[in-house]
Amino acid sequence: MDLFEKCASFTKADEIKALNLYPYFHAIEESEGPVVQIEGRKVIMAGSNNYLGLTAHPKVKEAAINAVKKYGTGCSGSRYLTGTLDLHVEMEERLAKFMGKEDCLLFSTGFQTAQGVVPVLVQKGEYVLSDKDNHASIVTGNLVAAGMASYTGDGSQSIVRYKHNDMKHLEQMISGLPKDAPKLIVTDGVFSTSGEIVNLPDMVKIARAYNARIMVDDAHAVGVIGVGGRGTASHFNLVKETDLTMGTFSKTFASLGGFVVGDRSVINFLKHHAAALIFSASPTPASVASALAALDVLEKEPERVDRLMQNARYMRTHLSQMGYRVGEHDSAVVPVIIGDTEKVLAMWRALFDAGVFVNAFIRPGVPPGMELLRTSFMATHEKQHLDRILETFRAVGKQFGVAN
Ligand SMILES: Cc1ncc(COP(=O)(O)O)c(C=O)c1O
């Protein structure tokens, strides 16, 4: 059989397109944040991770433009060689300080950050303990560590998956591992599909008892939870106890890039060993400058974080009152659980036709029965936007028999 046979026989996406129900890869033609233009029509965006709405902030845009004028469009090299700008160094210092850690290292994306940290830190005879629902970047990072996805790992590291946010199960699994073996517990801070916040206090107790370090992926937590948007560790007042926090510029920071913060010696080690850093070009001048400007806004205007949370709470409450099954967690992600793939796709289309864009999550992205419409909100959604989204959800929910 030919290698490409599997590609030629993959017809699922085309079948859904033929039904006019395909919810992915729709090109945005213009964007102001809460309102975007798709296929020539203005629609309200209710599925973006642009949590503080800063992609449209004049200072953030201006910073990107000025960086292009000063440094050009790209770095053409990795951080290791010719790709370090003073902007990267400034952002690392600022982020380390913001997150309350000694040092920081930037990567070109959040996805690469996980690849750059997990397989490098967890070596032969050491263990990764990973939440079953962790983001794909961590899952791939784990596979790399186990030598299943790249040359980096030698296959002698062990990956242990524990039940989602289940600290009893984590303890059960960790207690069966060699007591003195070094271990890394990896978890999302705010889980990207459900918006659930990790049980960090219990995780810290377990880590202490079983010789483990903790790494939290705060992609959906920085700018959202914690004091002034400082993320999960800050939310629980456990900054010192959380060894490493990684994050992304692709959400609150309105740009593209990734980062990890932690102790100076750890960051220094990663800097000199992470293939994802050493063999990949550094984030572009415009990417770092805009993320820096977004950090300025976040530091100067923490009230934006409060507005974001108020918006998400307003939506959670009203969607729930309409009879929808929604995630209960206090973050900016509000999943609307429908539990059926066909219904999710048909509702996605009806919402889109009525001028509201959400994300359709179907299997294998979610377990059977958990097919959902993922909504997420921004600090810059105004009440009129939120009420339009609610009205549309009410009408579509009635049509499909899932709302009253
Ligand atoms: C939890 C989580 N981690 C990591 C990433 C990857 O970030 P990036 O978009 O910077 O690659 C994402 C993005 O979807 C995410 O949701």
Side-chain angles (χ1 to χ4, degrees), residues 62-76 85-88 282-290:
E62 193 189 328
I65 293 163
N66 289 341
V68 170
K69 286 186 183 153
K70 184 166 176 194
Y71 301 93
T73 50
C75 296
S76 312
L85 304 177
D86 52 1
L87 281 178
H88 295 117
S282 56
T284 67
S287 304
V288 195
S290 45

Side-chain angles (χ1 to χ4, degrees), residues 67-97:
V68 170
K69 286 186 183 153
K70 184 166 176 194
Y71 301 93
T73 50
C75 296
S76 312
S78 90
R79 291 292 307 283
Y80 210 59
L81 299 171
T82 54
T84 293
L85 304 177
D86 52 1
L87 281 178
H88 295 117
V89 178
E90 183 184 350
M91 186 57 168
E92 285 170 345
E93 287 169 3
R94 290 277 306 276
L95 267 176
K97 202 162 164 222

Side-chain angles (χ1 to χ4, degrees), residues 109-111 135 137 188 190 192 217 219-220 246 248-251 257:
T109 65
F111 200 97
H135 187 259
S137 56
D188 285 10
V190 169
S192 53
D217 178 351
H220 297 272
M246 62 160 276
T248 175
F249 295 166
S250 67
K251 305 184 195 310

Side-chain angles (χ1 to χ4, degrees), residues 49 51 107-114 133-138 187-193 217-221 246-251 255-259 374:
N49 298 318
Y51 291 124
F107 287 79
S108 299
T109 65
F111 200 97
Q112 265 177 253
T113 308
D133 285 4
N134 273 343
H135 187 259
S137 56
I138 304 233
T187 182
D188 285 10
V190 169
F191 287 85
S192 53
T193 305
D217 178 351
D218 257 356
H220 297 272
M246 62 160 276
T248 175
F249 295 166
S250 67
K251 305 184 195 310
S255 181
L256 186 67
F259 69 90
R374 179 186 183 275

Side-chain angles (χ1 to χ4, degrees), residues 367-388:
M370 289 302 287
E371 295 82 358
L372 56 91
L373 296 162
R374 179 186 183 275
T375 65
S376 49
F377 297 95
M378 302 181 207
T380 47
H381 273 125
E382 288 165 21
K383 188 158 181 302
Q384 42 138 344
H385 300 128
L386 300 178
D387 288 341
R388 260 290 307 286

Side-chain angles (χ1 to χ4, degrees), residues 112-141:
Q112 265 177 253
T113 308
Q115 320 305 301
V117 177
V118 181
V120 175
L121 285 182
V122 185
Q123 301 188 345
K124 192 171 176 174
E126 302 178 345
Y127 293 86
V128 180
L129 292 115
S130 181
D131 188 293
K132 202 175 75 42
D133 285 4
N134 273 343
H135 187 259
S137 56
I138 304 233
V139 175
T140 316

Side-chain angles (χ1 to χ4, degrees), residues 129-163:
L129 292 115
S130 181
D131 188 293
K132 202 175 75 42
D133 285 4
N134 273 343
H135 187 259
S137 56
I138 304 233
V139 175
T140 316
N142 293 344
L143 293 178
V144 173
M148 291 177 216
S150 129
Y151 61 87
T152 319
D154 66 3
S156 52
Q157 301 83 348
S158 296
I159 313 301
V160 178
R161 292 169 86 214
Y162 59 89
K163 287 182 197 158

